[in-house]
Amino acid sequence: MKRQTVTHRLRFLLLFSRQGKLRLQKWFVPTSEREKKKVIRDMIMLVLPRQPRTCNFLQWKDLKIVYKRYASLYFCAGLEEHDNELLALEVLHRYVELLDKYFGNVCELDIIFNFEKAYFILDEFLMGGEVLETSKFAVNVSMEQADTLQETMEEYMSKPAY
Amino acid sequence: MPAPIRLRELIRTIRTARTQAEEREMIQKECAAIRSSFREEDNTYRCRNVAKLLYMHMLGYPAHFGQLECLKLIASQKFTDKRIGYLGAMLLLDERQDVHLLMTNCIKNDLNHSTQYVQGLALCTLGCMGSSEMCRDLAGEVEKLLKTSNSYLRKKAALCAVHVIRKVPELMEMFLPATKNLLSEKNHGVLHTSVVLLTEMCERSPDTLAHFRKLVPQLVRILKNLIMSGYSPEHDVSGISDPFLQVRILRLLRILGKNDDDSSEAMNDILAQVATNTETSKNVGNAILYETVLTIMDIKSESGLRVLAINILGRFLLNNDKNIRYVALTSLLKTVQTDHNAVQRHRSTIVDCLKDLDVSIKRRAMELSFALVNGNNIRGMMKELLYFLDSCDPEFKADCASGVFLAAEKYAPSKRWHIDTIMRVLTTAGSYVRDDSVPNLIQLITNSVEMHAYTVQRLYKALLDDISQQPLVQVASWCIGEYGDLLVSGQCEEEEPIQVTEDEVLDVLEGLLVSNLSTPVTRGYSLTAIMKLSTRFSSVNRIKKVVSIYGSSIDVELQQRAVEYNALFKKYDHMRPALLERMPIMEKTASNGPTEIVQTNGETEPSTVEAKHPPPVTQPTNQVRIISKNIYCIPSMTAYNKNGLKIDFTFERANPNPNIAVITIHATNSTEAEMTDFVFQAAVPKTFQLQLLSPSSNVVPALNQGTVTQVIRVLNPQKQQLRMRIKLTYTHKGSAVQDLAEVNNFPPQSWQ
């Protein structure tokens, strides 16, 4: 993952449960399957044993890892060296808020059974590892409108989507 | 054919599996069904099947057979299909896959779709994982969309452009015109992504950066509005308006202000304003302050502003929030070189962080503490750092010990203090000290001439307490070997001298030899130390006995040393005092100081052994160790090398009679089986006389694990060219082997 200039962006975002089950994986740089598995394994091994009141930042290879636990899910992001960790915490928090607004009192089961929606929401909030939309409302508005689009098609086909 | 089961039904079913095997079975069954459905080119349920495949992929199962199906979904007219298709593409079709490029046409069409959400999907996919080729093909479309008035598309196009530029930097030029009025946007999404785009451009091209400096006033205005504006529910985070945008603007200002006086001045006020007015009770405020501090430190800000920034970091250090303390320490570490004095003011807070419970904070605090050590604060700082070394987790000890040694070397206020500090490290963290510390410490001790008595006494006392920490034991052994005479003399200036007899000292050293706690390296040190004491103590007989016992040690290194020391007693006794005398002061990198044991492998310059004295234990070499300072080096030679048996000859000229060449043969065996009943015989031409002494053994151990040596004395009164015929017999793997060879390649110095 060579880069010439200093970039500030997320390299990856992972969601996993307290038992170490992956619930979402978003990679913002091209990564081989093998490397993805290794990163996931390493993150789970690094983050799960952390004590409750320790700081949310770790150093791993040349990346800064920012993680936060929300109920039974760990949100874990890999940052470039010069990125702002405190802001990354805000990014994670905003994503949780967006999920919460969409699903209404979101819990892990929502993410499990509607993982594709979790990805769609993420793709309205971040792109290429950068924040795409900073408004709290805009993302949900887009989601609602896109969802409507989906159902219209569905009705047209008069067949269940999936 | 029944309809394939729904996604959520599958998820529910898989979750009921009680074992990994059960889950795998369900997955395999479903994959088989999906595969046949794909084969049948079923359009209706393709979407459902790919969605299920993506779920199984997340569980860790292979899903590559769905790649082409994703492409078909993307090409479909149904929005539902496209949504899943693009998601699948982003998960399964990164640029390493062959079929990746096939997406290009679909994406191109979708970029021009009448529905903005379809366009959005295309932009998102391209902007997340488009390959360079794809970016090249589609850059034009992206540039078009960057100029649209539709803010939903504009913001996505901006980030897509960022990706294109990252993949194909040459394309940056084509996006420049479109950036013209990006900052006039009211929409925060567009503003934010525009700032990201501008930042990317400025970071990549100094010309572009110069070009965009004119934007500074506009950026300052936008930032000011954000701070002064009233409450905006859409963008508010704990009382702060759009922190994401604020941070990105601050970052862009940093890049534009760096090394530019005018720009830096233009942003001075706003930076001061943000620094003083931002609410610090929540993480979000501190995130902005943090970015502000970084900007202030990087641009050409006035000194008042810089001090303000460092003070903010100092306040961060006192914050209850661990994250903020961590970030402060990291930033201070970055600025400690350039603003050393300012950071020094916060030294005591930083040192307090050594006691923090959080491991990440402790590590940062330790690094920063070492960076702050200087001649003025060395005593105080070292006290804290040594206390830290005592109580910290093992993962820190090696680094901390190294740091202490380095700092002590640079700033030690006195030699006594230095030795004491080293002692403290060795006794409290002795097992964690790095291997290269031992020779460095030995060199240091040697050079502190007036402290020898004190040092050896302290080390001796430490040994009495604890022989488990190898670096400590090694340094101590070495010192006792060198300065044992001072130890028993009962004289010491720095502290109360201890009364110890020669026998007691030898007891301790011999104890090291037999202890299970001692590593082979340590034993080597200890044996050498005992040997050295033969010229400093009077109980030479006891030492002789010890040395001869170890002549048959199983440890080859010890054995070799003992044999050589034995030889020193027996044959070279006249040389012993000279060889074992006190080491002189060593230069750190000198390579021709006198050495005790010289390794020569045919070259005339002694190898650099100083920094590694005594030589570390590795596999016993086939090379020669000659204990002699007084030989003029005659190159050694390989006389025979066949079937795994190698015989090297090394030479000395016996001083009393220069017509006698003393040749030592060294036989080694590289095969897997040992060679037993090994007999070496030699014959020389009539003008020479030959005397063959007894061999060290007649078993040549396998795998070069040992050497058989034997001495040949050749009298050559007519100084004729030396020639020899040798006969070798041995038993190897049950069969008898015999060989004859001529040896003609004697170096001229051996007979001239």
Side-chain angles (χ1 to χ4, degrees):
Chain A
M1 293 185 216
K2 228 176 154 208
R3 59 193 194 286
Q4 297 149 306
T5 60
V6 170
T7 45
H8 310 258
R9 59 159 163 189
L10 298 185
R11 289 262 195 104
F12 59 79
L13 175 64
L14 303 174
L15 266 67
F16 47 85
S17 72
R18 274 192 297 165
Q19 286 77 41
K21 296 217 104 171
L22 191 68
R23 298 301 179 204
L24 186 143
Q25 51 174 326
K26 189 77 184 177
W27 302 90
F28 297 110
V29 285
T31 319
S32 69
E33 280 300 319
R34 199 154 153 255
E35 218 180 316
K36 282 182 196 170
K37 284 196 158 63
K38 176 159 198 317
V39 172
I40 293 168
R41 212 172 37 237
D42 283 356
M43 289 306 109
I44 291 175
M45 266 190 349
L46 276 177
V47 169
L48 285 184
R50 295 277 285 185
Q51 297 299 317
R53 268 174 298 279
T54 50
C55 82
N56 296 85
F57 311 133
L58 295 167
Q59 190 72 25
W60 179 78
K61 299 199 181 167
D62 62 332
L63 295 182
K64 298 202 258 210
I65 307 297
V66 177
Y67 75 93
K68 190 130 191 232
R69 183 170 145 211
Y70 290 90
S72 60
L73 271 181
Y74 282 93
F75 286 66
C76 175
L79 265 56
E80 311 260 337
E81 218 216 291
H82 299 274
D83 216 338
N84 184 330
E85 304 97 309
L86 299 179
L87 194 72
L89 276 177
E90 294 299 320
V91 170
L92 293 181
H93 191 73
R94 174 58 66 88
Y95 183 44
V96 171
E97 283 180 332
L98 294 172
L99 289 169
D100 194 51
K101 195 143 189 178
Y102 183 81
F103 289 109
N105 272 332
V106 68
C107 64
E108 193 185 342
L109 278 180
D110 291 319
I111 316 257
I112 294 171
F113 279 95
N114 301 283
F115 69 93
E116 83 280 9
K117 294 282 168 64
Y119 276 104
F120 298 154
I121 294 170
L122 187 61
D123 287 340
E124 293 297 319
F125 175 46
L126 301 176
M127 194 206 277
E130 306 276 5
V131 170
L132 170 64
E133 178 56 69
T134 61
S135 154
K136 282 193 262 191
F137 308 153
V139 171
N140 289 99
V141 165
S142 308
M143 281 299 291
E144 276 165 36
Q145 289 183 352
D147 285 349
T148 324
L149 213 53
Q150 201 168 293
E151 280 156 21
T152 309
M153 290 293 198
E154 201 187 319
E155 281 159 32
Y156 178 77
M157 295 295 294
S158 66
K159 274 201 173 80
Y162 46 84
Chain B
M1 176 100 212
I5 74 167
R6 291 164 158 260
L7 169 66
R8 319 217 191 275
E9 192 58 49
L10 176 69
I11 297 177
R12 208 166 291 131
T13 312
I14 292 178
R15 281 169 63 77
T16 63
R18 276 161 305 171
T19 64
Q20 186 72 12
E22 214 181 315
E23 180 187 277
R24 208 174 310 136
E25 213 186 300
M26 290 177 187
I27 303 261
Q28 273 169 358
K29 193 159 152 245
E30 186 56 38
C31 277
I34 291 178
R35 280 181 130 114
S36 36
S37 188
F38 284 164
R39 267 196 299 272
E40 284 160 28
E41 296 284 348
D42 184 323
N43 288 339
T44 321
Y45 296 112
R46 179 176 290 123
C47 185
R48 182 184 290 185
N49 286 327
V50 169
K52 287 186 287 186
L53 198 56
L54 293 179
Y55 177 74
M56 295 188 286
H57 176 251
M58 181 139 65
L59 292 180
Y61 296 92
H64 45 273
F65 58 90
Q67 286 173 358
L68 276 176
E69 304 300 313
C70 293
L71 289 177
K72 292 177 196 165
L73 284 175
I74 290 172
S76 153
Q77 293 308 309
K78 299 201 287 186
F79 182 69
T80 314
D81 283 354
K82 283 188 191 289
R83 238 182 168 185
I84 293 291
Y86 277 117
L87 177 61
M90 283 195 273
L91 286 173
L92 303 178
L93 274 177
D94 70 34
E95 59 185 43
R96 294 146 194 263
Q97 311 302 326
D98 302 324
V99 296
H100 179 83
L101 262 183
L102 296 175
M103 278 197 288
T104 314
N105 221 35
C106 284
I107 295 183
K108 185 167 192 179
N109 291 336
D110 283 343
L111 284 173
N112 291 306
H113 203 275
S114 48
T115 314
Q116 69 175 23
Y117 293 107
V118 174
Q119 289 173 294
L121 286 175
L123 280 169
C124 178
T125 307
L126 180 60
C128 269
M129 37 87 77
S131 64
S132 321
E133 280 160 61
M134 224 189 265
C135 287
R136 251 184 257 271
D137 285 341
L138 301 173
E141 307 293 328
V142 176
E143 197 258 345
K144 245 179 11 199
L145 289 170
L146 191 51
K147 297 192 283 216
T148 174
S149 52
N150 178 331
S151 40
Y152 177 80
L153 291 176
R154 211 166 183 206
K155 74 188 183 197
K156 292 204 173 196
L159 285 189
C160 196
V162 170
H163 178 82
V164 168
I165 293 172
R166 282 177 181 161
K167 291 304 259 191
V168 192
E170 309 91 73
L171 290 175
M172 188 172 87
E173 294 276 319
M174 76 184 283
F175 292 106
L176 277 173
T179 61
K180 231 175 162 126
N181 37 27
L182 276 178
L183 289 184
S184 335
E185 265 278 357
K186 290 280 178 271
N187 179 295
H188 280 227
V190 179
L191 259 181
H192 184 274
T193 56
S194 302
V195 172
V196 174
L197 177 58
L198 291 168
T199 308
E200 186 70 28
M201 290 176 157
C202 290
E203 275 174 339
R204 284 188 183 269
S205 154
D207 291 334
T208 319
L209 197 158
H211 171 70
F212 280 135
R213 278 220 176 90
K214 60 181 193 233
L215 294 175
V216 169
Q218 205 174 356
L219 288 165
V220 167
R221 232 175 7 251
I222 298 173
L223 188 53
K224 197 160 190 165
N225 285 337
L226 282 173
I227 300 169
M228 312 290 271
S229 70
Y231 175 74
S232 155
E234 223 188 323
H235 301 112
D236 178 271
V237 181
S238 305
I240 295 182
S241 190
D242 206 340
F244 305 104
L245 183 56
Q246 288 195 35
V247 164
R248 284 323 291 243
I249 292 178
L250 285 164
R251 211 175 278 170
L252 181 53
L253 286 175
R254 176 152 86 240
I255 294 167
L256 294 173
K258 194 167 182 161
N259 291 328
D260 189 271
D261 290 318
D262 293 330
S263 302
S264 300
E265 219 204 295
M267 52 182 86
N268 211 63
D269 286 347
I270 191 69
L271 290 173
Q273 202 178 347
V274 174
T276 35
N277 290 345
T278 308
E279 185 65 46
T280 59
S281 56
K282 292 269 175 67
N283 179 66
V284 59
N286 290 315
I288 294 177
L289 272 179
Y290 177 38
E291 197 73 36
T292 312
V293 164
L294 292 177
T295 300
I296 293 174
M297 300 312 293
D298 235 20
I299 64 173
K300 297 195 145 213
S301 39
E302 331 171 321
S303 60
L305 200 55
R306 290 182 90 82
V307 170
L308 177 60
I310 303 244
N311 287 345
I312 291 176
L313 290 179
R315 272 206 313 274
F316 274 6
L317 280 179
L318 299 166
N319 197 305
N320 282 331
D321 189 332
K322 284 189 191 306
N323 295 331
I324 292 168
R325 290 211 295 281
Y326 179 87
V327 154
L329 288 169
T330 311
S331 316
L332 286 170
L333 197 54
K334 289 195 198 131
T335 61
V336 73
Q337 304 302 331
T338 46
D339 293 87
H340 190 88
N341 291 333
V343 180
Q344 280 283 0
R345 263 180 242 134
H346 300 278
R347 196 175 66 240
S348 52
T349 323
I350 292 167
V351 164
D352 279 341
C353 289
L354 286 172
K355 305 190 183 91
D356 200 298
L357 295 168
D358 188 302
V359 164
S360 312
I361 290 181
K362 271 205 269 237
R363 179 162 284 282
R364 285 279 186 261
M366 182 182 81
E367 288 165 2
L368 194 48
S369 298
F370 279 120
L372 287 176
V373 170
N374 62 26
N376 293 330
N377 58 35
I378 176 79
R379 284 188 194 266
M381 285 298 275
M382 202 49 87
K383 214 154 111 203
E384 298 283 350
L385 288 164
L386 286 172
Y387 182 71
F388 175 70
L389 182 63
D390 281 341
S391 51
C392 68
D393 296 329
E395 63 183 287
F396 289 113
K397 291 214 196 230
D399 290 330
C400 191
S402 297
V404 168
F405 285 148
L406 224 74
E409 209 175 310
K410 273 204 263 192
Y411 301 112
S414 74
K415 287 224 152 103
R416 161 93 189 250
W417 181 94
H418 198 169
I419 303 278
D420 283 343
T421 304
I422 291 172
M423 288 296 308
R424 176 85 182 267
V425 174
L426 286 178
T427 47
T428 53
S431 358
Y432 298 98
V433 154
R434 295 220 167 85
D435 291 337
D436 61 358
S437 309
V438 172
N440 288 341
L441 291 176
I442 287 176
Q443 193 225 345
L444 180 70
I445 291 171
T446 310
N447 294 351
S448 315
V449 177
E450 64 279 16
M451 304 296 304
H452 285 169
Y454 172 71
T455 310
V456 70
Q457 182 163 294
R458 286 216 54 191
L459 284 168
Y460 179 77
K461 285 201 275 194
L463 267 194
L464 291 177
D465 268 337
D466 174 16
I467 60 168
S468 66
Q469 305 195 85
Q470 300 305 294
L472 170 63
V473 176
Q474 287 167 14
V475 175
S477 308
W478 190 92
C479 281
I480 295 173
E482 273 297 294
Y483 311 120
D485 50 325
L486 298 176
L487 189 57
V488 300
S489 71
Q491 286 170 358
C492 178
E493 276 179 17
E494 299 283 338
E495 66 173 17
E496 184 68 35
I498 58 171
Q499 306 302 326
V500 61
T501 65
E502 290 184 3
D503 276 323
E504 283 172 327
V505 174
L506 287 171
D507 283 341
V508 169
L509 287 176
E510 284 186 46
L512 294 175
L513 276 173
V514 302
S515 165
N516 285 333
L517 296 167
S518 300
T519 62
V521 174
T522 306
R523 291 206 178 92
Y525 271 88
S526 162
L527 185 62
T528 303
I530 292 175
M531 184 60 189
K532 285 195 208 170
L533 290 174
S534 72
T535 54
R536 293 158 175 76
F537 282 5
S538 49
S539 22
V540 183
N541 284 330
R542 178 174 174 179
I543 294 176
K544 270 195 199 168
K545 231 199 265 175
V546 173
V547 167
S548 72
I549 290 174
Y550 279 89
S552 42
S553 159
I554 297 179
D555 180 328
V556 182
E557 174 69 25
L558 276 185
Q559 187 197 106
Q560 189 155 356
R561 286 181 190 225
V563 164
E564 289 171 2
Y565 296 153
N566 247 334
L568 204 51
F569 275 125
K570 298 221 173 86
K571 279 191 296 197
Y572 300 100
D573 207 42
H574 53 284
M575 284 189 205
R576 190 165 47 89
L579 271 177
L580 301 177
E581 70 183 4
R582 189 83 94 228
M583 295 291 276
I585 297 185
M586 303 183 227
E587 294 298 321
K588 196 125 196 200
T589 51
S591 56
N592 23 357
T595 57
E596 189 176 348
I597 297 183
V598 174
Q599 280 187 318
T600 66
N601 40 5
E603 281 97 85
T604 48
E605 56 168 58
S607 50
T608 53
V609 177
E610 277 71 26
K612 300 185 200 290
H613 174 84
V617 178
T618 49
Q619 285 79 23
T621 57
N622 296 347
Q623 327 232 291
V624 174
R625 281 191 202 206
I626 302 176
I627 306 177
S628 174
K629 277 200 281 190
N630 298 330
I631 60 165
Y632 55 99
C633 293
I634 305 175
S636 61
M637 57 178 272
T638 300
Y640 177 91
N641 193 352
K642 230 160 98 177
N643 299 328
L645 175 63
K646 182 158 171 274
I647 299 186
D648 289 324
F649 284 4
T650 58
F651 302 92
E652 301 158 39
R653 295 291 276 263
N655 270 348
N657 188 344
N659 289 336
I660 296 181
V662 179
I663 306 173
T664 308
I665 72 149
H666 304 258
T668 50
N669 162 17
S670 63
T671 70
E672 292 150 10
E674 59 182 13
M675 296 169 176
T676 55
D677 303 321
F678 175 77
V679 175
F680 172 89
Q681 292 169 292
V684 287
K686 283 207 189 70
T687 51
F688 299 84
Q689 274 185 33
L690 184 141
Q691 184 189 13
L692 202 53
L693 306 183
S694 324
S696 61
S697 140
N698 37 26
V699 175
V700 193
L703 297 170
N704 293 329
Q705 280 176 10
T707 317
V708 166
T709 56
Q710 192 165 9
V711 175
I712 311 170
R713 292 162 67 99
V714 179
L715 181 63
N716 182 8
Q718 292 176 24
K719 292 210 188 291
Q720 291 196 335
Q721 183 173 6
L722 189 50
R723 284 173 9 234
M724 196 185 278
R725 195 175 283 171
I726 61 177
K727 180 173 172 190
L728 307 159
T729 52
Y730 55 92
T731 307
H732 188 238
K733 293 186 185 165
S735 34
V737 181
Q738 185 180 295
D739 199 10
L740 287 168
E742 291 258 1
V743 185
N744 289 323
N745 50 331
F746 286 96
Q749 300 97 310
S750 62
W751 48 267
Q752 270 173 350

